[in-house]
Structure formats: structure tokens, C-alpha cells
Amino acid sequence: MRSLTLIRHGRPDFPKGQRICLGLTDLPLSALGRLQAALYGPFYKADRVYSSYLSRAVQTAEFIDPQAESVQGLEEMYAGAWDGLSFSEIQQRFPQHYALRGTEPNAPVPDSEDLLHGQRRFFRAVSEIMENCEGNVAIVAHATVIGSFLCKVLGLSAEESRRFKLPYLGAYSFEYDGQFHHVKRPPLPQVQLDGEICGRLLKAAELPKNICDHCQAVADEAALIGRALNRKGCNLDLELIYCSALLHDICRREENHAEAGAELIEQLGFGAEAETVRQHHDLKSNCSGEAAVVFLADKLLAGTKKISIEERFSASAEKCSSPKALQAHRRRQAQAESTAERVENILGCKLPL
């Protein structure tokens, strides 16, 4: 018995972050979508991997198998006159029809693909793939067509497809012997961050090499400090320290990068790592020991070079372009100096290690 897994793509890069009515409008993956694909994609390994030709599906499939093939017929249903418009634009341009869809969700959108036609088109494309290849198959596609396929297998009306919504990177699996059987919806895999997975996330974030090298150097230094403190009885979570340090600059090219990185990691479901990343630039007064170690390790490195806190802040003071920025800079330096003093008192030696 062979298997088929239908997977929804990662989160698209919506214009200005505003959700749109998305059918054939071709959006790439967002930063979060790339991380979702990097995090969960490897769990969907199969003998053959296919996707629709739309960028968000193609890019997701590449995280599962770089040799994935795109196939016509697997694309999302066309949303007609609404395709690519924000829902506020739709409400303004089509007020009566927008109101009707609020009470009748299956009321057709002007010029859109008929739901039954889209179901048949997608079912035919999937069936042809299964007939023309061997082994287990994974297909990256889209929410509505996957829902319509499920309705076809379960003997339900195509209009029921919107009941079966998948989260990004969610999936339905089937057994196949010429027919599709035994539908399952496996939960998203439970992922524990480690160095390898963090490395995949950094690669998916498409960071320059110098930032990735800095992240690795901070992680190594933070691990050194954490292990040394644990030998003195501090009982720190070393895996949390290492992974948070690896990811601390994942949004380095964005404004307020610490908060942006924390939000991204939090959306992936890693709350403790997100809070540690959030504080790598500015410590809270009630910070955890792990957050303090990552903060300190970051302040002991310029790129990959170990330096003193005084050297680090002397060099960065020149970048302060206003009295407010200089005040914040001095506050962070005081935080770093007091944190280093506490750590050095515990360890009985000077930093960096």
C-alpha cells in the first residue's frame, strides 16, 4: 500500500502584511513561511515530491526535496474578480456580494473558478501523478483544493470543502491502491529545537554569512559561559541558551531586530527561545539566567572576535545619532557591565572565556 500526503504551503508574503483573497495571485513565501517550511518540511519526506506551479508551493516543496517537480492542475482555485484584493478592498468594490458571502459562504465570486470544476481538475492531477509514479508521494498545494479533494474521497459535496481548513504546513494523508483510503490528518510534528534545526532556520532566513558566523560565535561563547556557571551550581538550561543564541539575530536586517526575531520565533511555537531572543539587546530587570547569558555573550563579540565590554560599547557609541540613542546605549552598557560582574564573581575569572 502506497501513501499520499497533501500538504498546505507555508505562509505567503502578503503585501504590507495584509491578508488578501488568494487564489492564483502568485506570492512567494514570507519570512515566517520559509521558517515554517524549514521546520516542518523534512518531516514530509517521500519517494516523490510535487507541487503546484505557484511560488508559495514551489518554495515550500523545495524544503522537503530540492528535486521536487511542479505540475499543472495542482494550483489553487481562481478567485475571479477578488483574486489578489484585500478584504477591505473587496468590501469597498463589491459591497453587496461581500455581504452575501457573509451569510452564504459558497455564493460564487464573480468570474471565479467553479468549485466543482476546481475539485475535478485537482483530483485528476493528483490521480495522474499516483498512476504514473511509484512509491510514496507528497504534494504541496493549497487549502481549498486540498479540502475539495478530501470531500471527493469522503463522498461529500464540493461545497463542504471550506470545512476542512489546514494550517500552514498542515497535511492530510491517504493510503492508495488505485483508490484513496483511510484519510488521516496528522498533527504538526512536535519539534524540539537543537543546533541542526536552528541551522536550517538560519539558512531559511537567507542571512548573509557574516551574520550567521556571528550567531554561531555567540552561541559558542554563551555555551562556554553556561557550562562554566553550571559547574558552579547555577543549573541553567544549556540547550535553551545555545539555540536562543544561534537565533538571536535571525531578523538582524530589520528595524528593532530583537523584537522582530522574537515575534517570528514565537509564531513558530518556541516561547522560551523567543523571550530570550527578545532580551538579547535589552535585558529586563527580572530576566532569566539564560537570557542574561545570551545577552552577555552577544556583548562580548564583535562579529566573531572576542572583545571586552568596554571595547564593544566604545566602538558602537559612534552609531548613536541622538541623545535618546546615546542614553539607551549607556543603559545597555551598564546592564552588560553589571551582568559581567555577577558572572565573573561566580566564576572567579574574567570574561570573555
Side-chain angles (χ1 to χ4, degrees), residues 43-322:
F43 289 94
Y44 293 122
K45 287 291 185 185
D47 298 304
R48 301 293 295 270
V49 179
Y50 299 89
S51 76
S52 84
Y53 64 82
L54 295 171
S55 297
R56 57 192 184 272
V58 171
Q59 292 170 356
T60 301
E62 287 172 348
F63 283 95
I64 303 173
D65 182 354
Q67 305 303 316
E69 301 176 39
S70 53
V71 174
Q72 292 283 338
L74 299 177
E75 62 273 13
E76 182 59 296
M77 294 188 191
Y78 177 48
W82 293 12
D83 211 316
L85 299 180
S86 71
F87 291 98
S88 59
E89 289 175 315
I90 293 168
Q91 189 174 19
Q92 290 172 2
R93 297 189 195 183
F94 307 91
Q96 293 181 337
H97 205 89
Y98 183 86
L100 176 63
R101 291 272 292 190
T103 56
E104 298 182 30
N106 290 317
V109 173
D111 302 320
S112 65
E113 183 177 16
D114 176 75
L115 197 59
L116 186 58
H117 177 274
Q119 181 192 59
R120 290 169 176 165
R121 179 254 301 166
F122 184 78
F123 191 88
R124 182 169 58 250
V126 173
S127 298
E128 288 176 358
I129 287 171
M130 298 303 292
E131 290 166 7
N132 294 322
C133 73
E134 298 179 351
N136 298 326
V137 173
I139 296 175
V140 180
H142 309 269
T144 305
V145 288
I146 291 175
S148 74
F149 183 93
L150 188 61
C151 288
K152 177 79 170 175
V153 172
L154 296 177
L156 302 174
S157 165
E159 282 72 22
E160 297 290 313
S161 62
R162 290 183 176 87
R163 288 173 45 197
F164 302 103
K165 287 294 186 183
L166 281 172
Y168 295 121
L169 268 296
Y172 285 108
S173 64
F174 308 80
E175 292 182 357
Y176 178 77
D177 59 0
Q179 301 291 325
F180 299 99
H181 308 280
H182 303 297
V183 179
K184 294 181 181 179
R185 180 178 167 181
L188 283 174
Q190 296 296 307
V191 180
Q192 182 71 39
L193 285 182
D194 58 22
E196 179 184 353
I197 292 173
C198 289
R200 289 209 309 261
L201 295 178
L202 288 175
K203 183 177 180 181
E206 300 178 344
L207 295 171
K209 184 177 184 300
N210 64 311
I211 294 178
C212 291
D213 290 345
H214 170 70
C215 288
Q216 185 63 63
V218 171
D220 292 340
E221 180 65 18
L224 278 174
I225 296 171
R227 287 195 296 270
L229 288 170
N230 276 1
R231 287 194 291 270
K232 298 292 184 177
C234 289
N235 197 30
L236 297 168
D237 185 335
L238 298 181
E239 195 71 15
L240 173 59
I241 288 172
Y242 187 72
C243 291
S244 301
L246 276 174
L247 299 176
H248 80 282
D249 269 354
I250 196 165
C251 287
R252 187 65 183 85
R253 294 173 294 182
E254 296 185 28
E255 188 176 351
N256 194 6
H257 73 279
E259 183 62 32
E263 288 180 2
L264 204 59
I265 295 165
E266 201 160 40
Q267 288 178 84
L268 291 174
F270 303 109
E273 290 81 1
E275 187 55 36
T276 305
V277 167
R278 181 175 282 113
Q279 295 186 62
H280 86 266
H281 199 50
D282 250 321
L283 275 181
K284 294 180 180 179
S285 58
N286 61 342
C287 71
S288 67
E290 289 82 3
V293 169
V294 174
F295 169 85
L296 182 58
D298 183 47
K299 303 303 175 284
L300 293 170
L301 285 151
T304 59
K305 180 184 177 183
K306 293 187 181 185
I307 58 174
S308 69
I309 288 172
E310 182 179 355
E311 289 172 316
R312 167 68 184 266
F313 282 90
S314 294
S316 58
E318 300 173 0
K319 301 176 184 177
C320 297
S321 56
S322 68

Side-chain angles (χ1 to χ4, degrees), residues 2-53:
R2 299 163 63 197
S3 70
L4 165 69
T5 305
L6 298 179
I7 306 152
R8 189 185 182 194
H9 56 78
R11 181 181 173 86
D13 189 12
F14 293 113
K16 300 179 181 178
Q18 186 178 21
R19 293 179 67 88
I20 65 173
C21 183
L22 190 56
L24 296 186
T25 300
D26 197 9
L27 297 181
L29 291 179
S30 64
L32 176 60
R34 290 194 301 273
L35 297 190
Q36 289 169 331
L39 187 65
Y40 298 118
F43 289 94
Y44 293 122
K45 287 291 185 185
D47 298 304
R48 301 293 295 270
V49 179
Y50 299 89
S51 76
S52 84
Y53 64 82

